[in-house]
Amino acid sequence: MLGYKGVREVAVWIQSENEIRIHFQWNEKGKEEPVVEKVLQSKAEDGNSLTFIADHLQAGTSYQYTFRDDQGVLLAEGEFSTQKLWQYRTGPPEFSFLTGSCTYVNDPEFDRPGEPYGKGLDIFSAMLDKEAEAMLWLGDNVYLRPSDWGSRSGVYYRYTHFRSQPELQEFWKAFHHYAIWDDHDYGPNDANRSFINKEITLEAFRDFWANPNYGFGAHNDCISGSFSYYDVDFFLLDNRSFRSPNQRRSGVRQILGDDQIEWLIDALVSSKANFKIVAVGGQFLNPAALYENHSTFAAEREKILQLLEQEKLKNVIFLSGDRHKTELTKWKSETGLIVYDFTSSPLSSTSYNSAEEGNYLRVEGTHLSEQNFGRLNFTGDQKERVLILESFDTVGKLIWEHRIPKQ
């Protein structure tokens, strides 16, 4: 699997069936020399997963790579490229990200009896045909079962089962992958900071997703992070590690927590990006105080909106999943600040029709209650940059699109 993609570095992930030494080699595409090699030992306690960093690369260059064992037997091969160095040279390149959430892979031995909750993985063939550079997973990327979250072996089994599906093998290599989590990657349904095995699920998440960084400030015990992709900054939030229980009556009710909010606002203020994408597992803008929408923690939601307005933070787009439906929500402040929340879900899980739940901020025509995936297209020159949001059905047919010009 291709992990993060930078100007001088690219991450490439691999998993072996058993503990072995793996030789990762890469060189510029079309050239025989020089070849760079790194060797790592896979370990069963880490699910035999390894993330290699191809470093000291050249900007805007294509490379070819191989994985081999100690005997030189080819295990896997592929290609990757680096981001172009565009600043002070050209306008920002046009690029696209795929996105989505809620990927349930059926596993009858451990699933509930009755109709399967997963609806198949055919959607990934349609996604594979779309032009894009990366995939941003919006949480519930795996569904930990009750048999999983009580042990390290169970958690790592679930990730391995998901990652090894035949329908996904080309998908892992075709795009660079970034991810956040929600409750089902973190622990039980609606899990919060009290979950006893959160250190195990955090280790598994880091072992299986090759994000460029994890944590902020003194908090290394979370999945939060950020990265830049050309003229766009992405902020990956953790909505589980600091979350108070939904039913907690005393104390401060929080999802993100003050420290994470302060880090986010600092980073947004410092960002010079044309668009600032904030990825979080649950819906942020939907005003309907239902399930685990941020409106059920109204004080924290209002605090974030007030900070966005006070700091005059334009071009902020939230991405969210969780709800087993898709919709675009638009909030406009009294001073004219506009914030969007693009909820994209589900990829393969059961979908639900909640069109009548009371989201009066929904952009008309964007509600979907079927399996679907999204795409973010960044296009136009520096001064007139545009973000085009798209939603596609399981065979890749465009259902709706919405253009958001840079403010």
Side-chain angles (χ1 to χ4, degrees):
M1 182 192 75
L2 296 179
Y4 72 84
K5 171 178 176 174
V7 178
R8 302 296 305 279
E9 288 185 355
V10 166
V12 187
W13 176 95
I14 189 170
Q15 184 182 28
S16 58
E17 287 191 54
N18 303 300
E19 291 188 344
I20 59 171
R21 277 163 41 97
I22 296 181
H23 299 248
F24 174 53
Q25 295 184 332
W26 74 89
N27 63 305
E28 190 172 338
K29 186 178 179 181
K31 297 183 179 180
E32 295 185 1
E33 299 292 340
V35 176
V36 184
E37 178 177 277
K38 289 187 176 183
V39 183
L40 292 175
Q41 172 74 43
S42 65
K43 299 178 182 178
E45 65 185 47
D46 300 328
N48 290 318
S49 64
L50 292 170
T51 297
F52 288 86
I53 307 300
D55 50 15
H56 303 289
L57 305 175
Q58 298 301 311
T61 303
S62 296
Y63 292 84
Q64 54 201 12
Y65 69 86
T66 60
F67 287 108
R68 299 180 185 274
D69 63 15
D70 278 340
Q71 287 70 47
V73 175
L74 181 66
L75 305 174
E77 62 184 340
E79 300 178 0
F80 61 78
S81 62
T82 53
Q83 291 188 41
K84 299 174 183 177
L85 186 60
W86 65 275
Q87 294 91 336
Y88 309 106
R89 293 163 176 81
T90 65
E94 296 187 351
F95 71 96
S96 300
F97 266 51
L98 299 176
T99 196
S101 67
C102 301
T103 310
Y104 193 97
V105 180
N106 294 326
D107 191 1
E109 181 180 357
F110 300 102
D111 292 345
R112 296 178 183 178
E115 182 181 348
Y117 194 66
K119 301 306 177 184
L121 301 175
D122 291 345
I123 192 171
F124 290 97
S125 295
M127 297 172 74
L128 195 59
D129 289 337
K130 295 299 179 185
E131 184 175 341
E133 295 197 18
M135 168 71 183
L136 177 51
W137 298 78
L138 294 175
D140 294 340
N141 313 312
V142 301
Y143 275 73
L144 296 174
R145 316 298 206 261
S147 56
D148 302 332
W149 63 63
S151 67
R152 185 181 186 90
S153 60
V155 171
Y156 277 76
Y157 164 79
R158 183 56 52 204
Y159 269 90
T160 299
H161 179 260
F162 164 60
R163 194 58 62 87
S164 60
Q165 293 300 305
E167 298 93 332
L168 291 171
Q169 297 316 298
E170 290 305 313
F171 191 76
W172 299 128
K173 296 196 297 181
F175 309 104
H176 293 266
H177 296 267
Y178 302 82
I180 60 172
W181 68 11
D182 197 23
D183 50 348
H184 295 291
D185 324 65
Y186 174 80
N189 186 47
D190 297 348
N192 55 67
R193 65 194 178 200
S194 71
F195 175 51
I196 195 66
N197 283 331
K198 60 184 178 182
E199 291 184 3
I200 295 174
T201 54
L202 176 60
E203 288 180 23
F205 188 94
R206 293 182 175 186
D207 282 338
F208 280 81
W209 295 111
N211 288 349
N213 47 67
Y214 286 102
F216 61 93
H219 291 282
N220 294 318
D221 53 346
C222 62
I223 62 140
S224 307
S226 64
F227 65 95
S228 297
Y229 209 97
Y230 296 125
D231 63 319
V232 180
D233 285 344
F234 291 81
F235 304 93
L236 311 179
L237 302 188
D238 188 331
N239 68 333
R240 293 294 157 183
S241 296
F242 310 105
R243 188 188 193 108
S244 55
N246 292 340
Q247 291 76 31
R248 180 72 183 262
R249 295 182 179 181
S250 62
V252 177
R253 286 175 53 80
Q254 64 178 36
I255 294 177
L256 302 177
D258 288 344
D259 289 351
Q260 187 169 197
I261 292 171
E262 284 302 300
W263 165 74
L264 173 63
I265 297 301
D266 281 350
L268 290 172
V269 168
S270 302
S271 173
K272 301 298 189 293
N274 283 326
F275 287 98
K276 305 167 183 66
I277 307 298
V278 181
V280 61
Q283 284 192 304
F284 175 66
L285 282 182
N286 185 348
L290 298 169
Y291 304 106
E292 290 200 302
N293 288 353
H294 219 120
S295 290
T296 61
F297 287 69
E300 186 177 89
R301 176 180 179 272
E302 183 62 25
K303 174 182 177 178
I304 296 170
L305 289 174
Q306 288 180 359
L307 286 169
L308 293 175
E309 186 165 21
Q310 289 170 9
E311 300 294 344
K312 296 179 170 51
L313 289 167
K314 298 180 179 180
N315 306 304
V316 174
I317 313 293
F318 283 82
L319 296 183
S320 59
D322 174 56
R323 294 300 314 282
H324 297 263
K325 67 168 182 181
T326 284
E327 63 186 356
L328 180 63
T329 304
K330 178 181 178 181
W331 175 84
K332 187 174 183 179
S333 75
E334 294 180 357
T335 63
L337 180 71
I338 297 174
V339 181
Y340 288 92
D341 184 354
F342 179 27
T343 303
S344 185
S345 173
L347 290 167
S348 71
S349 304
T350 295
S351 59
Y352 299 103
N353 188 339
S354 53
E356 305 302 322
E357 71 180 10
N359 182 4
Y360 54 83
L361 298 178
R362 181 189 305 131
V363 175
E364 185 177 357
T366 63
H367 185 278
L368 297 177
S369 55
E370 61 188 80
Q371 284 71 40
N372 69 95
F373 65 94
R375 184 168 64 177
L376 290 73
N377 305 296
F378 300 92
T379 185
D381 60 29
Q382 177 76 300
K383 293 183 178 180
E384 297 181 351
R385 200 67 162 159
V386 176
L387 167 58
I388 303 175
L389 302 177
E390 298 173 313
S391 284
F392 298 90
D393 67 14
T394 56
V395 296
K397 179 182 178 181
L398 179 65
I399 306 174
W400 63 259
E401 71 172 28
H402 188 86
R403 299 173 64 89
I404 303 176
K406 172 186 173 184
Q407 298 179 54

Short mmCIF file of all heavy atoms in Angstrom, two decimals, residues 182-213:
data_model
loop_
_atom_site.label_atom_id
_atom_site.label_comp_id
_atom_site.label_asym_id
_atom_site.label_seq_id
_atom_site.Cartn_x
_atom_site.Cartn_y
_atom_site.Cartn_z
N ASP A 182 -12.87 6.39 13.54
CA ASP A 182 -14.07 6.68 14.31
C ASP A 182 -14.24 5.53 15.30
O ASP A 182 -13.30 4.76 15.52
CB ASP A 182 -15.27 6.87 13.39
CG ASP A 182 -16.44 7.57 14.09
OD1 ASP A 182 -16.20 8.27 15.08
OD2 ASP A 182 -17.59 7.41 13.66
N ASP A 183 -15.42 5.37 15.86
CA ASP A 183 -15.56 4.43 16.97
C ASP A 183 -15.23 2.99 16.60
O ASP A 183 -14.63 2.26 17.41
CB ASP A 183 -16.97 4.51 17.58
CG ASP A 183 -18.10 4.41 16.57
OD1 ASP A 183 -17.83 4.53 15.35
OD2 ASP A 183 -19.26 4.25 16.99
N HIS A 184 -15.55 2.54 15.39
CA HIS A 184 -15.37 1.12 15.08
C HIS A 184 -13.93 0.75 14.79
O HIS A 184 -13.58 -0.44 14.85
CB HIS A 184 -16.28 0.73 13.91
CG HIS A 184 -17.73 0.85 14.25
ND1 HIS A 184 -18.35 0.02 15.14
CD2 HIS A 184 -18.69 1.74 13.86
CE1 HIS A 184 -19.62 0.36 15.27
NE2 HIS A 184 -19.85 1.41 14.51
N ASP A 185 -13.07 1.72 14.47
CA ASP A 185 -11.63 1.45 14.38
C ASP A 185 -10.99 1.54 15.76
O ASP A 185 -9.95 0.96 16.03
CB ASP A 185 -10.90 2.47 13.49
CG ASP A 185 -11.68 2.94 12.31
OD1 ASP A 185 -12.72 3.60 12.50
OD2 ASP A 185 -11.24 2.69 11.18
N TYR A 186 -11.62 2.33 16.62
CA TYR A 186 -11.08 2.65 17.95
C TYR A 186 -11.46 1.62 18.99
O TYR A 186 -10.67 1.28 19.88
CB TYR A 186 -11.60 4.03 18.34
CG TYR A 186 -11.28 4.51 19.74
CD1 TYR A 186 -10.02 5.04 20.04
CD2 TYR A 186 -12.24 4.45 20.75
CE1 TYR A 186 -9.72 5.50 21.32
CE2 TYR A 186 -11.95 4.91 22.03
CZ TYR A 186 -10.70 5.43 22.31
OH TYR A 186 -10.41 5.88 23.58
N GLY A 187 -12.68 1.09 18.91
CA GLY A 187 -13.15 0.15 19.92
C GLY A 187 -14.60 -0.21 19.69
O GLY A 187 -15.06 -0.35 18.55
N PRO A 188 -15.40 -0.33 20.74
CA PRO A 188 -16.82 -0.66 20.61
C PRO A 188 -17.61 0.49 20.01
O PRO A 188 -17.10 1.62 19.86
CB PRO A 188 -17.26 -0.92 22.06
CG PRO A 188 -15.99 -1.14 22.84
CD PRO A 188 -14.94 -0.33 22.14
N ASN A 189 -18.86 0.23 19.68
CA ASN A 189 -19.75 1.26 19.16
C ASN A 189 -19.84 2.42 20.17
O ASN A 189 -19.99 2.21 21.38
CB ASN A 189 -21.14 0.67 18.93
CG ASN A 189 -22.08 1.64 18.26
OD1 ASN A 189 -21.74 2.28 17.28
ND2 ASN A 189 -23.29 1.75 18.79
N ASP A 190 -19.73 3.65 19.66
CA ASP A 190 -19.81 4.87 20.48
C ASP A 190 -18.72 4.93 21.55
O ASP A 190 -18.91 5.54 22.61
CB ASP A 190 -21.18 5.00 21.14
CG ASP A 190 -22.31 5.16 20.15
OD1 ASP A 190 -22.02 5.40 18.95
OD2 ASP A 190 -23.47 5.03 20.54
N ALA A 191 -17.57 4.33 21.29
CA ALA A 191 -16.49 4.28 22.29
C ALA A 191 -15.95 5.67 22.61
O ALA A 191 -15.98 6.58 21.78
CB ALA A 191 -15.36 3.39 21.78
N ASN A 192 -15.45 5.82 23.83
CA ASN A 192 -14.91 7.10 24.30
C ASN A 192 -13.58 6.88 25.00
O ASN A 192 -13.00 5.79 24.93
CB ASN A 192 -15.93 7.78 25.23
CG ASN A 192 -16.33 6.87 26.38
OD1 ASN A 192 -15.52 6.55 27.25
ND2 ASN A 192 -17.59 6.44 26.39
N ARG A 193 -13.08 7.93 25.68
CA ARG A 193 -11.76 7.89 26.29
C ARG A 193 -11.60 6.82 27.36
O ARG A 193 -10.47 6.49 27.76
CB ARG A 193 -11.44 9.26 26.89
CG ARG A 193 -12.35 9.63 28.06
CD ARG A 193 -12.24 11.09 28.42
NE ARG A 193 -13.17 11.42 29.52
CZ ARG A 193 -13.59 12.65 29.80
NH1 ARG A 193 -13.18 13.67 29.05
NH2 ARG A 193 -14.41 12.86 30.82
N SER A 194 -12.70 6.24 27.83
CA SER A 194 -12.63 5.22 28.88
C SER A 194 -12.27 3.84 28.34
O SER A 194 -11.99 2.92 29.13
CB SER A 194 -13.97 5.13 29.63
OG SER A 194 -14.97 4.54 28.80
N PHE A 195 -12.25 3.66 27.03
CA PHE A 195 -12.00 2.34 26.44
C PHE A 195 -10.64 1.81 26.90
O PHE A 195 -9.60 2.43 26.67
CB PHE A 195 -12.08 2.41 24.92
CG PHE A 195 -11.73 1.13 24.23
CD1 PHE A 195 -12.32 -0.06 24.59
CD2 PHE A 195 -10.79 1.12 23.20
CE1 PHE A 195 -12.00 -1.25 23.95
CE2 PHE A 195 -10.46 -0.06 22.56
CZ PHE A 195 -11.06 -1.24 22.94
N ILE A 196 -10.63 0.65 27.53
CA ILE A 196 -9.46 0.14 28.21
C ILE A 196 -8.33 -0.27 27.26
O ILE A 196 -7.15 -0.22 27.62
CB ILE A 196 -9.85 -1.05 29.13
CG1 ILE A 196 -8.73 -1.36 30.11
CG2 ILE A 196 -10.23 -2.26 28.29
CD1 ILE A 196 -8.46 -0.27 31.11
N ASN A 197 -8.67 -0.68 26.04
CA ASN A 197 -7.65 -1.15 25.10
C ASN A 197 -7.32 -0.13 24.01
O ASN A 197 -6.86 -0.50 22.93
CB ASN A 197 -8.09 -2.47 24.45
CG ASN A 197 -7.91 -3.65 25.39
OD1 ASN A 197 -7.03 -3.63 26.25
ND2 ASN A 197 -8.75 -4.66 25.24
N LYS A 198 -7.50 1.14 24.30
CA LYS A 198 -7.24 2.17 23.29
C LYS A 198 -5.77 2.24 22.89
O LYS A 198 -5.46 2.64 21.75
CB LYS A 198 -7.75 3.53 23.75
CG LYS A 198 -7.13 4.06 25.03
CD LYS A 198 -7.80 5.36 25.42
CE LYS A 198 -7.24 5.94 26.72
NZ LYS A 198 -7.94 7.19 27.11
N GLU A 199 -4.86 1.85 23.75
CA GLU A 199 -3.45 1.83 23.37
C GLU A 199 -3.20 0.78 22.30
O GLU A 199 -2.39 0.98 21.39
CB GLU A 199 -2.57 1.58 24.59
CG GLU A 199 -2.55 2.73 25.59
CD GLU A 199 -1.60 2.47 26.74
OE1 GLU A 199 -0.92 1.42 26.73
OE2 GLU A 199 -1.53 3.31 27.65
N ILE A 200 -3.89 -0.35 22.39
CA ILE A 200 -3.73 -1.41 21.39
C ILE A 200 -4.28 -0.96 20.05
O ILE A 200 -3.63 -1.13 19.00
CB ILE A 200 -4.44 -2.70 21.86
CG1 ILE A 200 -3.76 -3.25 23.11
CG2 ILE A 200 -4.43 -3.74 20.73
CD1 ILE A 200 -4.48 -4.45 23.71
N THR A 201 -5.49 -0.39 20.05
CA THR A 201 -6.07 0.03 18.77
C THR A 201 -5.30 1.19 18.15
O THR A 201 -5.24 1.32 16.93
CB THR A 201 -7.56 0.38 18.92
OG1 THR A 201 -7.72 1.36 19.96
CG2 THR A 201 -8.37 -0.85 19.27
N LEU A 202 -4.70 2.04 18.99
CA LEU A 202 -3.85 3.12 18.47
C LEU A 202 -2.61 2.53 17.81
O LEU A 202 -2.22 2.96 16.71
CB LEU A 202 -3.45 4.07 19.59
CG LEU A 202 -2.49 5.20 19.21
CD1 LEU A 202 -3.09 6.09 18.13
CD2 LEU A 202 -2.11 6.04 20.43
N GLU A 203 -1.99 1.55 18.43
CA GLU A 203 -0.81 0.91 17.82
C GLU A 203 -1.18 0.25 16.50
O GLU A 203 -0.43 0.34 15.52
CB GLU A 203 -0.22 -0.12 18.78
CG GLU A 203 0.49 0.49 19.99
CD GLU A 203 1.05 -0.57 20.90
OE1 GLU A 203 1.30 -1.71 20.42
OE2 GLU A 203 1.25 -0.29 22.09
N ALA A 204 -2.32 -0.42 16.47
CA ALA A 204 -2.75 -1.08 15.23
C ALA A 204 -3.00 -0.06 14.13
O ALA A 204 -2.61 -0.26 12.97
CB ALA A 204 -4.00 -1.91 15.49
N PHE A 205 -3.66 1.04 14.48
CA PHE A 205 -3.93 2.08 13.49
C PHE A 205 -2.61 2.60 12.91
O PHE A 205 -2.47 2.75 11.69
CB PHE A 205 -4.71 3.23 14.13
CG PHE A 205 -5.21 4.25 13.16
CD1 PHE A 205 -6.48 4.17 12.62
CD2 PHE A 205 -4.40 5.32 12.77
CE1 PHE A 205 -6.94 5.11 11.71
CE2 PHE A 205 -4.84 6.27 11.87
CZ PHE A 205 -6.13 6.17 11.34
N ARG A 206 -1.65 2.85 13.76
CA ARG A 206 -0.37 3.37 13.28
C ARG A 206 0.40 2.32 12.49
O ARG A 206 1.15 2.67 11.57
CB ARG A 206 0.46 3.85 14.47
CG ARG A 206 -0.12 5.08 15.15
CD ARG A 206 0.76 5.56 16.29
NE ARG A 206 0.26 6.81 16.87
CZ ARG A 206 0.89 7.52 17.79
NH1 ARG A 206 2.05 7.10 18.27
NH2 ARG A 206 0.37 8.65 18.25
N ASP A 207 0.24 1.06 12.84
CA ASP A 207 0.93 0.00 12.10
C ASP A 207 0.35 -0.20 10.70
O ASP A 207 1.07 -0.59 9.78
CB ASP A 207 0.85 -1.32 12.87
CG ASP A 207 1.84 -1.40 14.02
OD1 ASP A 207 2.84 -0.66 14.00
OD2 ASP A 207 1.60 -2.20 14.95
N PHE A 208 -0.96 0.06 10.54
CA PHE A 208 -1.61 -0.25 9.27
C PHE A 208 -1.88 0.97 8.39
O PHE A 208 -2.21 0.81 7.22
CB PHE A 208 -2.91 -1.01 9.53
CG PHE A 208 -2.70 -2.47 9.80
CD1 PHE A 208 -2.33 -2.91 11.06
CD2 PHE A 208 -2.84 -3.41 8.79
CE1 PHE A 208 -2.13 -4.26 11.32
CE2 PHE A 208 -2.65 -4.77 9.03
CZ PHE A 208 -2.28 -5.19 10.30
N TRP A 209 -1.77 2.19 8.94
CA TRP A 209 -1.96 3.39 8.13
C TRP A 209 -0.67 4.22 8.16
O TRP A 209 -0.17 4.55 9.23
CB TRP A 209 -3.12 4.24 8.63
CG TRP A 209 -4.45 3.57 8.50
CD1 TRP A 209 -5.26 3.12 9.50
CD2 TRP A 209 -5.15 3.29 7.28
NE1 TRP A 209 -6.40 2.57 8.99
CE2 TRP A 209 -6.37 2.65 7.62
CE3 TRP A 209 -4.87 3.51 5.93
CZ2 TRP A 209 -7.29 2.23 6.67
CZ3 TRP A 209 -5.79 3.08 4.98
CH2 TRP A 209 -6.98 2.46 5.35
N ALA A 210 -0.16 4.55 6.99
CA ALA A 210 1.13 5.25 6.87
C ALA A 210 0.92 6.75 6.70
O ALA A 210 1.31 7.35 5.70
CB ALA A 210 1.94 4.67 5.71
N ASN A 211 0.27 7.37 7.70
CA ASN A 211 0.17 8.83 7.72
C ASN A 211 1.55 9.44 7.97
O ASN A 211 2.42 8.80 8.55
CB ASN A 211 -0.79 9.28 8.84
CG ASN A 211 -2.24 8.97 8.54
OD1 ASN A 211 -2.59 8.60 7.42
ND2 ASN A 211 -3.09 9.11 9.54
N PRO A 212 1.76 10.70 7.59
CA PRO A 212 3.09 11.30 7.76
C PRO A 212 3.46 11.61 9.20
O PRO A 212 4.65 11.76 9.52
CB PRO A 212 3.03 12.57 6.91
CG PRO A 212 1.57 12.90 6.84
CD PRO A 212 0.87 11.59 6.83
N ASN A 213 2.47 11.75 10.09
CA ASN A 213 2.78 12.10 11.47
C ASN A 213 1.58 11.73 12.34
O ASN A 213 0.47 11.54 11.85
CB ASN A 213 3.13 13.59 11.63
CG ASN A 213 2.14 14.50 10.90
OD1 ASN A 213 0.97 14.61 11.25
ND2 ASN A 213 2.61 15.16 9.85
#
